[in-house]
């Protein structure tokens, strides 16, 4: 390893700009050592860096690298650009990858990935412009609700959940505070609009309680009568002609195809509607009860969420949205 000629040749190999091409010649000139050339593309500036590993028979290894003038210095090797930790910017509000993961796991729970992230940025923009600090009582209430929603009813269960999700106590408090702030903003945006929204859209929130089954397409045309419906469902499932799935369900009118909704909601309780052709097979529905929507707490919460979603969509339509992810930066508006 103290062979000055070998080390000089190694430096020449690395500094010549053709290390990969000249490696075989170096090996032939120095057969007494095992040689490995390590190549790494630096994400910081796109440059290609090389290091040479020289290993003798006793197992000792020399690692040699060379840095030309004005090249990326060693302290910056392997460093990522700040923008590589940035996933999204909306109206100047930045979303880091870490923030995005938290957003996906804890804040939004029923929208697509991209919409979730954009919505989070738009909401934070407003909350930063118009901050409303939460009181200790509000934070405690939000924490209690957060734990109840996830079945974390004891301190031990909560600590186990935190350990499993790699969340510290401070991070948990921050996540809960964000969730509570979003809920407050949602109520503020919807304030004064719920009654009008319900008058226009409330019919879509009507509920029908049903027993249902999806039969294979080849199960035959037979439609069971209402009295023997559940028994027929059991037999169909036992003989393999019924698809596994939920039997009893509460469905809102807006969840159904309009033609199907008219038939189901127009049926007398106790009667069977269908069959309806679906991708999974033939759907049969026994109507158990029909309940017109009333503006109770549950429906008010739904109305607030719909109003909030419409508000977000209006802001999104005028927002400047820049994405930073994938194999290259890309910007969308």
């Amino acid at each position: 390893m103290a062979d000055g000629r070998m080390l000089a040749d190694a430096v020449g190999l690395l500094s010549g700009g053709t290390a990969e091409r000249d490696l075989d010649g170096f090996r032939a000139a120095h057969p007494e050592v095992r040689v490995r050339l390590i190549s790494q593309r630096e994400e910081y500036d796109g440059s290609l860096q090389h290091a040479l590993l020289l290993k003798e028979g006793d197992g000792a290894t020399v690692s040699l690298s060379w840095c030309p003038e004005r090249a990326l210095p060693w302290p910056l090797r392997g460093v990522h650009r700040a923008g590589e930790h940035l996933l999204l910017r909306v109206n100047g509000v930045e979303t880091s990858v870490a923030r995005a993961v938290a957003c996906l796991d804890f804040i939004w729970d029923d929208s697509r990935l991209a919409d979730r992230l954009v919505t989070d940025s738009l909401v934070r923009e407003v909350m930063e412009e118009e901050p409303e600090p939460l009181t200790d009582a509000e934070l405690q209430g939000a924490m209690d609700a957060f734990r109840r929603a996830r079945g974390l009813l004891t301190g031990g269960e909560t600590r186990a959940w935190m350990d499993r999700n790699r969340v510290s106590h401070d991070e948990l408090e921050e996540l809960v505070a964000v969730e509570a702030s979003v809920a407050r903003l949602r109520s503020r945006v919807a304030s004064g609009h719920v009654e009008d929204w319900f008058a226009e859209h409330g019919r879509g929130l009507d509920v029908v309680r049903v027993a249902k089954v999806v039969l294979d397409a080849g199960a035959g045309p037979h439609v069971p009568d209402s009295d023997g419906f559940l028994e027929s469902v059991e037999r169909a499932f036992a003989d393999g002609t019924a698809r596994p799935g939920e039997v009893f369900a509460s469905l809102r009118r807006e969840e159904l195809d309009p033609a199907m909704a008219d038939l189901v909601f127009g049926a007398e309780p106790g009667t069977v509607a269908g069959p309806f052709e679906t991708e999974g097979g033939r759907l049969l529905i026994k109507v158990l009860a029909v309940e017109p929507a009333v503006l109770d707490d549950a429906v008010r919460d739904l109305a607030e969420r719909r109003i909030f979603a419409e508000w977000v969509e209006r802001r999104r339509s005028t927002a400047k949205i820049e994405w930073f992810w994938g194999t290259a930066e890309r910007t969308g508006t």
Side-chain angles (χ1 to χ4, degrees), residues 88 90 114-123 316 321 323:
L88 171 70
V90 178
D115 288 342
R116 252 179 240 188
L117 298 176
V118 172
T119 297
D120 178 63
S121 295
L122 292 170
V123 167
R316 180 187 178 116
I321 301 173
W323 287 97

Side-chain angles (χ1 to χ4, degrees), residues 187-210:
S187 295
R188 191 174 80 198
V189 168
S191 178
H193 302 288
V194 171
E195 287 74 14
D196 290 341
W197 186 94
F198 180 74
E200 183 177 355
H201 303 284
R203 186 169 180 267
L205 301 181
D206 292 347
V207 172
V208 60
R209 303 191 187 281
V210 304

Side-chain angles (χ1 to χ4, degrees), residues 273-313:
F276 303 102
E277 298 299 328
T278 68
E279 291 184 3
R282 299 163 58 245
L283 172 64
L284 293 172
I285 296 176
K286 180 178 179 178
V287 177
L288 304 178
V290 177
E291 301 175 1
V294 295
L295 196 53
D296 55 15
D297 290 344
V299 170
R300 182 175 292 275
D301 181 70
L302 279 174
E304 286 187 355
R305 291 177 183 273
R306 305 298 169 78
I307 294 168
F308 186 65
E310 293 168 2
W311 173 83
V312 168
E313 191 57 36

